Amino acid sequence: MDAAQRRRSTEESLKLIRESLKSSEMDHMEGTHFDDKLPHVFVTLGASGDLAKKKIYPTLWWLFRDNLLPRPTTIIGYARTHLTVKQLREKCHQYMKVKPEEEEKYERFWKLNHYIAGSYDKRQDFEALNQEIEKHESEISANRLYYLALPPTVFRPATVQIRNTCMGTKGWTRIIIEKPFGRDDETSRQLSDHLAFLFKEDQVYRIDHYLGKEMVQNLMTLRFGNIIFNPTWNRDHVACIQITFKEPFGTQGRGGYFDEFGIIRDVMQNHLLQILSLVAMEKPASCQPDDIRNEKVKVLRYIKELNLDDVVLGQYVGDPESADPEAKLGYLDDPTVPKDSNTPTFAMAVLKINNERWDGVPFILKCGKALNERKAEVRVQYQDVPGDIFEGKAKRNELVIRVQPGEALYIKMMTKSPGITFDLEETELDLTYGNRYKDLKLPDAYERLILDVFCGSQMHFVRSDELSEAWRIFTPLLHRLEKENIQPVPYKHGSRGPKEADEMAKRSNFRYYGSYKWIHPNHH
C-alpha cells in the first residue's frame, strides 16, 4: 500500500469514527421525544413467533392507531419461516383488537409492513435484510430499531450479524432484547459482555414489561411526590412489605418452556425484584434515567445472597374435587413436563436490605401458578399501633398498590363502625383507576416501553449492573436447588399455595387476618 492509499484509508477510518461519534451524540440528546420527520425502520427478528404475534405486532398497531409512531415508520419482519405479509397478518389478527371503525387505518398499518425470510447466522441473509432496510431510508438520516424476539440459542449469532451488516450509518441504531437475560450470574455476565463488545450500553434496551405497567411507574410519584408517605417509609413504621404475583392457571400444556426456567427465573428474579428496588430505593437526584437506575442498583447491593432457609418452594398438584377440568391436573400431568421434574411453580422468598432505612424489615416476594386468584400487588404493612387502647381490636394499616387486574391504590385503616356502638371496623381510602378515571384507556405495558425506545428513554429498562446484582442475589440458591435436587412442597391447584409459605410470612412479621377483603368498586 503506497502513502496515498494509506492516507485515503486513514481518512476513511476517521470519517467512520466521526460519523459514529455524531450518531452517538445524537442518541445522547434523545430521551423525551423522537424526530417525526426522519424515517424510522422497526425490525422484528423472530417475526413468525408467539411473542411477535401476541405482543409486538399488536403494540405497533396500537401505537400507529393512536398516532404515536414517527412518520414515516416502516416495519420489517425477519424470521426463518417463509411467510407473506398476508400470512403474517392472519397469524396476528386475533390479538390486534381492531374495532369496525378502525378498518381503514388498519389497512394502512399493514401497508407499512414487509417481511423477509432468512437464517440467524448467515451474513448474506443479513446483507439482504440490510438492503431491504435501505430501501426505506432517506439519503440524509434514518433510525433503526431491532426487536430481538429470539430464543437464547440464536441470540449471539444474530447480534453479531446485526453489528457486522445492519447498523445504521445515517442515524441511531437501538436493540431491544427480551428475557431470559441468562440463567445465572455467569451466563448473564457472558451475555452482557457479548452485548458490550458489539454495542454501547445506551443502544441496548433490556425489556421487562412489568416496568411499563401503570402502577409500577406510579411508585416513583407516590413515594417522592407526596410528603404524607415518605416520613413513614422506613423501619420505624413499616413491619414488612409483601410483593405478590399470582396466576389462577397452570402451564396449560406449555410446561416444556417453563420447566427449563421455573418460577424464580420467570417472575421473581426480574419482575418482583424490579418492583422491590423501586419500593425500597432512596430518592434519586433527578428523574433522569441513570439517576433512577443508580439508586435501584444501590439498594440491590445492600441485599445479601438468598439461602435455602429464606425460601418456600412449591409445585402444584391436581385437585380431584374441583369442577374445573384444568384444576384436576397437576404440573406433572402436563405432557411437556418431565415426569420427575422438581421445578417450582410457586416460590416465596424473604429478603433483607442491610441499610439504615430498611434494617430488619422483611421484604416478602411471593409468586406462583395455579393459585386461587389473579393478582399482582405491593402491600406495605405498618407496625401495630403502640400503646393500644382498643384491647387488640385495631388491625394493622396497609398501603396496597394493585398492579393488576384493575389498577388501584388503597389504604386499609380502622374506623368506628357507624351507629350507636363503639365498635371498630376495617375500611379503606380507595383510589381505583376504573372508578376515578372512567373514560381513560391505559396503555399496554409494551406500548409504553416500545414508545420509550423510539424516544431514547432508558428509564424503564434494565441496565447491565442492575442485572448483575439481581443474579448475584439468586444464583447461589438456584445452583443449590439444581445440584441437591431439592423437592418442592405440593399444593393444590386453586389454593393459596403451600401452608409453609403462610407460616414463613407470619414468622416474617406479616399479619394475615382473613377478616377483610377489598371490594373492587366496579363490583358493588
Side-chain angles (χ1 to χ4, degrees):
M1 184 185 287
D2 62 22
Q5 285 175 314
R6 276 198 300 274
R7 191 168 59 252
R8 276 198 303 275
S9 176
T10 304
E11 284 169 358
E12 283 169 8
S13 298
L14 286 170
K15 185 183 174 188
L16 284 171
I17 291 167
R18 279 195 297 271
E19 285 177 356
S20 173
L21 286 170
K22 186 179 174 186
S23 174
S24 174
E25 285 164 13
M26 185 191 307
D27 207 23
H28 180 69
M29 295 302 291
E30 295 287 325
T32 55
H33 68 284
F34 49 72
D35 192 324
D36 205 23
K37 298 176 181 63
L38 296 180
H40 289 70
V41 181
F42 189 103
V43 182
T44 303
L45 280 80
S48 62
D50 259 16
L51 179 65
K53 74 179 180 186
K54 290 178 180 176
K55 287 292 180 187
I56 301 171
Y57 278 99
T59 299
L60 291 169
W61 151 239
W62 298 330
L63 288 171
F64 177 79
R65 176 197 63 195
D66 298 337
N67 301 315
L68 291 172
L69 283 182
R71 304 282 179 89
T73 293
T74 303
I75 301 162
I76 299 175
Y78 182 92
R80 286 181 289 216
T81 310
H82 285 268
L83 289 174
T84 62
V85 171
K86 185 182 176 187
Q87 288 169 322
L88 179 65
R89 175 176 172 166
E90 286 164 3
K91 280 167 72 82
C92 299
H93 185 71
Q94 63 176 301
Y95 305 103
M96 304 294 265
K97 300 178 187 171
V98 186
K99 294 175 183 171
E101 65 270 21
E102 296 166 349
E103 284 294 343
E104 185 192 340
K105 201 162 195 178
Y106 189 58
E107 291 299 325
R108 293 210 309 272
F109 169 76
W110 280 106
K111 284 188 170 70
L112 304 175
N113 278 267
H114 305 266
Y115 185 90
I116 181 167
S119 68
Y120 295 119
D121 57 357
K122 287 185 183 158
R123 185 182 178 102
Q124 66 196 49
D125 289 349
F126 277 81
E127 284 172 346
L129 172 61
N130 190 54
Q131 287 164 12
E132 180 65 31
I133 295 169
E134 285 176 339
K135 289 180 193 172
H136 308 285
E137 294 183 325
S138 75
E139 292 178 10
I140 309 161
S141 188
N143 299 320
R144 300 184 180 191
L145 292 79
Y146 293 93
Y147 199 124
L148 273 56
L150 298 173
T153 47
V154 296
F155 190 88
R156 283 170 181 263
T159 48
V160 168
Q161 293 303 334
I162 289 172
R163 185 69 188 83
N164 287 342
T165 58
C166 290
M167 297 296 283
T169 56
K170 303 165 186 173
W172 48 251
T173 301
R174 293 174 186 158
I175 316 291
I176 309 171
I177 65 172
E178 275 274 355
K179 70 179 179 88
F181 309 127
R183 286 184 54 82
D184 55 19
D185 54 3
E186 178 59 23
T187 53
S188 176
R189 185 186 58 76
Q190 289 171 1
L191 181 58
S192 289
D193 289 349
H194 172 78
L195 288 169
F197 180 73
L198 299 174
F199 312 107
K200 300 186 192 77
E201 180 68 29
D202 64 5
Q203 292 178 303
V204 178
Y205 290 72
R206 296 173 189 83
I207 199 164
D208 181 336
H209 74 274
Y210 247 66
L211 292 179
K213 290 189 176 289
E214 179 70 27
M215 294 310 291
V216 175
Q217 298 204 333
N218 200 16
L219 277 165
M220 284 276 296
T221 309
L222 180 69
R223 285 198 55 198
F224 305 122
N226 296 289
I227 200 167
I228 192 171
F229 296 121
N230 211 35
T232 62
W233 211 266
N234 55 49
R235 64 193 178 95
D236 296 328
H237 299 90
V238 174
C240 65
I241 294 178
Q242 183 166 278
I243 303 170
T244 305
F245 175 94
K246 297 167 80 173
E247 289 180 327
F249 49 84
T251 51
Q252 299 177 319
R254 295 189 293 273
Y257 171 81
F258 178 84
D259 198 75
E260 193 180 336
F261 296 98
I263 198 76
I264 294 175
R265 288 186 178 96
D266 196 43
V267 177
M268 187 178 282
Q269 181 271 342
N270 37 65
H271 302 336
L272 299 195
L273 201 65
Q274 283 292 323
I275 294 175
L276 178 148
S277 64
L278 288 166
V279 169
M281 73 182 192
E282 297 299 318
K283 183 188 281 191
S286 76
C287 286
Q288 291 302 310
D290 273 335
D291 284 341
I292 292 166
R293 297 197 294 179
N294 287 345
E295 294 302 334
K296 287 169 70 184
V297 171
K298 202 181 292 180
V299 81
L300 292 178
R301 284 182 178 151
Y302 286 118
I303 301 174
K304 291 179 180 173
E305 300 169 354
L306 273 174
N307 295 312
L308 198 54
D309 294 341
D310 302 321
V311 298
V312 171
L313 303 170
Q315 188 185 84
Y316 70 89
V317 295
D319 179 4
E321 296 171 15
S322 174
D324 178 3
E326 195 202 328
K328 291 180 186 290
L329 300 175
Y331 179 67
L332 298 181
D333 295 321
D334 185 330
T336 65
V337 171
K339 290 302 165 198
D340 58 349
S341 172
N342 68 330
T343 299
T345 60
F346 172 98
M348 175 188 275
V350 180
L351 288 78
K352 298 283 180 64
I353 300 173
N354 188 32
N355 67 5
E356 191 174 358
R357 182 184 292 271
W358 296 116
D359 187 25
V361 178
F363 280 74
I364 303 165
L365 307 187
K366 182 166 81 168
C367 53
K369 289 184 171 292
L371 294 172
N372 58 332
E373 60 184 333
R374 176 175 177 251
K375 182 170 76 173
E377 68 176 22
V378 179
R379 189 172 291 263
V380 180
Q381 191 170 89
Y382 287 87
Q383 305 275 17
D384 295 312
V385 176
D388 178 27
I389 61 171
F390 298 108
E391 300 174 343
K393 292 176 185 171
K395 312 238 171 67
R396 286 178 172 178
N397 296 136
E398 289 182 351
L399 170 63
V400 182
I401 302 141
R402 192 177 179 93
V403 178
Q404 67 180 33
E407 292 85 352
L409 172 70
Y410 64 94
I411 298 170
K412 200 174 95 178
M413 54 185 279
M414 302 305 299
T415 58
K416 174 192 167 297
S417 56
I420 202 162
T421 64
F422 198 75
D423 293 335
L424 273 66
E425 69 173 32
E426 296 161 282
T427 185
E428 76 280 323
L429 294 173
D430 192 350
L431 166 61
T432 300
Y433 273 49
N435 214 33
R436 174 69 177 79
Y437 306 111
K438 279 189 168 63
D439 301 320
L440 181 70
K441 177 201 164 287
L442 289 173
D444 178 81
Y446 274 89
E447 241 180 302
R448 194 188 308 261
L449 293 173
I450 287 179
L451 184 58
D452 277 349
V453 183
F454 275 100
C455 294
S457 172
Q458 291 198 315
M459 184 186 298
H460 305 117
F461 294 83
V462 183
R463 207 166 63 185
S464 59
D465 54 350
E466 228 179 310
L467 190 58
S468 173
E469 288 300 321
W471 279 119
R472 175 191 60 76
I473 294 164
F474 282 95
T475 293
L477 172 70
L478 289 165
H479 283 181
R480 188 171 173 192
L481 295 180
E482 286 159 3
K483 189 178 176 184
E484 298 180 21
N485 196 25
I486 305 287
Q487 292 302 309
V489 180
Y491 65 95
K492 270 189 184 178
H493 196 303
S495 69
R496 278 174 46 82
K499 67 179 188 306
E500 289 85 347
D502 287 337
E503 290 162 6
M504 177 176 273
K506 190 175 180 180
R507 289 196 304 273
S508 301
N509 204 13
F510 181 77
R511 296 291 171 264
Y512 176 71
Y513 302 103
S515 56
Y516 168 89
K517 187 168 179 63
W518 177 66
I519 306 295
H520 196 301
N522 293 350
H523 296 165
H524 278 173

